[in-house]
Amino acid sequence: MTNKVVTVAEALKIGRSSDQQVYDFLVGDLNQVINEKKAQIADFDSQLSNAKTLASQYASTIRKQNEVIAQEQARQEKARKEAEEKAKAALRMVGMGEEYDKSSPFELSGGQKRRVAIAGVLAMDPEVLILDEPTAGLDVIARDSILELLREYMETEGRSILISSHISSDLESLCDDIYMIDKGRIVLH
């Protein structure tokens, strides 16, 4: 929204013809700005009617504003901590211990990167998980661990997994339906 002051006369020039339309126009724009916390309303009569001194009145207004800001900061900090805990829990689910929490992605092997990618989507707790070659590049132990994790994921009601893989043995014990595709055509179901 651009910074501009609109008078009632200017609002009428914009094409508003009735008092109600002018009111709706001004209130709509003001509400948007206020809701985005970009404005404060200066209602002089009500602000000053209960004030003992000007300084105490404005100090009260500033305290209230600071309380709102502190509450928002606390909410954001709580959300940040919850997200970090979810991310760590997802990393643990795919076998990535605490030693990896502060690792750079550039320090990880291909298999570790694959596990981190799976952890990233598991942290979102989706109803439908879509995976492309989830076990590619993993050693046998890591592969079995990921497949077990996917089995556990499927135990929750309402969850589904769509997997593409060249390793059909991975899919046989995991999937209810298997489609084999060759050159864009289903050759086996």
Side-chain angles (χ1 to χ4, degrees):
M1 170 171 276
T2 59
N3 294 335
K4 65 179 177 178
V5 175
V6 178
T7 65
V8 172
E10 289 171 329
L12 288 170
K13 289 178 190 174
I14 293 173
R16 309 287 184 188
S17 57
S18 72
D19 289 342
Q20 183 62 46
Q21 287 174 320
V22 171
Y23 174 82
D24 292 345
F25 171 74
L26 293 174
V27 169
D29 279 358
L30 283 176
N31 279 334
Q32 179 182 354
V33 170
I34 290 166
N35 289 335
E36 294 174 2
K37 295 187 175 41
K38 294 179 184 175
Q40 293 287 325
I41 297 176
D43 179 2
F44 301 109
D45 291 334
S46 67
Q47 281 184 333
L48 300 177
S49 62
N50 297 325
K52 294 179 182 170
T53 67
L54 289 176
S56 68
Q57 176 59 44
Y58 291 115
S60 173
T61 301
I62 291 168
R63 276 194 309 276
K64 288 176 187 175
Q65 185 176 21
N66 287 343
E67 287 172 12
V68 169
I69 291 169
Q71 289 171 352
E72 178 61 19
Q73 288 172 336
R75 187 196 64 74
Q76 288 177 358
E77 179 62 16
K78 181 181 176 190
R80 186 195 64 75
K81 285 181 180 178
E82 287 173 358
E84 189 170 314
E85 290 305 312
K86 272 180 118 174
K88 287 179 180 180
L91 286 170
R92 302 307 168 263
M93 286 183 354
V94 297
M96 304 291 286
E98 289 181 19
E99 66 272 17
Y100 293 102
D101 286 353
K102 298 188 188 233
S103 294
S104 165
F106 302 109
E107 298 170 355
L108 303 177
S109 69
Q112 290 170 328
K113 288 177 185 177
R114 185 155 311 267
R115 292 190 339 221
V116 168
I118 292 171
V121 294
L122 290 176
M124 307 292 251
D125 196 28
E127 289 180 20
V128 178
L129 186 60
I130 302 171
L131 302 170
D132 181 26
E133 302 283 353
T135 59
L138 299 180
D139 61 38
V140 174
I141 294 170
R143 188 182 111 250
D144 290 344
S145 172
I146 292 296
L147 292 173
E148 182 58 32
L149 175 68
L150 296 176
R151 278 187 205 87
E152 290 171 12
Y153 173 84
M154 288 295 295
E155 289 176 5
T156 300
E157 185 69 29
R159 288 185 174 169
S160 300
I161 300 178
L162 176 63
I163 301 176
S164 69
S165 180
H166 288 90
I167 307 169
S168 61
S169 61
D170 287 355
L171 305 178
E172 292 169 356
S173 65
L174 184 65
C175 300
D176 295 328
D177 287 311
I178 296 177
Y179 293 85
M180 289 198 174
I181 300 173
D182 183 34
K183 297 177 185 166
R185 292 186 2 208
I186 296 173
V187 295
L188 180 68
H189 174 227

